[in-house]
Every structure is written in structure tokens, then in C-alpha cells.
Amino acid sequence: QVQLVESGGGLVQAGGSLRLSCAASGRTFSTLTMGWFRQAPGKEREFVASISGSGGRIRYADSVKGRFTISRDNAKNTVYLQMNSLKPEDTAVYSCTARVGYDSGTYDLTSGYPYWGQGTQVTVSS
């Protein structure tokens, strides 16, 4: 089992920045592909970003490319999501996810990740 705990959400004005963190435990962190998904009210959960265990493979949703950066510190068992130039449409509950290994066919699918954090609210005001 993998336990995931997110932190760093909050309220920010449009154009501002936030950094989310997700601490993982229960498995050797470097073996885990980590991802971030988000779910806005009334919408389906959507992929935001993912990073492989070594950090060599990084993927982003088109809606956040150039504004968000995913990174990881394997020594601290933590993955980060730096969010810049935030927009009101980025408002959502952001969830950290994990899976063992990397799958190029499912990195952006909720079904590709068996482990999920509880989520953290990000609210961007206009």
C-alpha cells in the first residue's frame, strides 16, 4: 500500500502562484510514477501532470503546459506541482496519485493509478 498526503492548496488571485506537495510512504518512492489530477465542481476528474520514478518522463495536460511544473525529490519522498499564472478555471480539488512503474498508455488516465491522496482545494479568484 502507498499512502499519499497532499498539502499546499488555498485561495489565490488570478495570475498568482501556488505550490502543491505530496508526501508518499509505504513503497520505495523511486519506483513510483506520480501524477496530479484535478476535479472542478460538476466536472469529471482530469489529468494535470505526471512524472516517472526517475523524473525522466514528464507529461502535462495541454491546459497547463507552460504554467505548471511537476517535479520530485526522491530523497524526500515528495512530488511537487508548481502552479504559476493561475486562472479561475484552474479552481478544483487537486489529487496526488501513484502507481508502481510507468505505463505510457495510461499515464493520463485515472484508471492508471491505484493510489490516491485525499485531495487539496485550490481556488483562484478573478
Side-chain angles (χ1 to χ4, degrees), residues 39-45 91-93:
Q39 187 168 23
K43 294 187 177 181
E44 292 189 355
R45 186 174 285 173
T91 294
V93 173

Side-chain angles (χ1 to χ4, degrees), residues 15-85:
S17 299
L18 280 175
R19 188 176 81 156
L20 305 182
S21 300
C22 173
S25 61
R27 191 102 185 192
T28 301
F29 188 64
S30 61
T31 67
L32 300 175
T33 290
M34 304 298 295
W36 288 96
F37 284 72
R38 67 186 182 186
Q39 187 168 23
K43 294 187 177 181
E44 292 189 355
R45 186 174 285 173
E46 65 174 2
F47 170 75
V48 176
S50 68
I51 184 168
S52 61
S54 66
R57 283 172 285 196
I58 292 175
R59 298 289 184 268
Y60 295 100
D62 288 342
S63 59
V64 306
K65 277 181 183 176
R67 300 187 298 122
F68 291 11
T69 302
I70 190 171
S71 63
R72 64 190 296 155
D73 186 337
N74 286 353
K76 295 182 178 180
N77 292 353
T78 301
V79 64
Y80 305 97
L81 185 68
Q82 177 67 45
M83 304 184 294
N84 298 330
S85 302

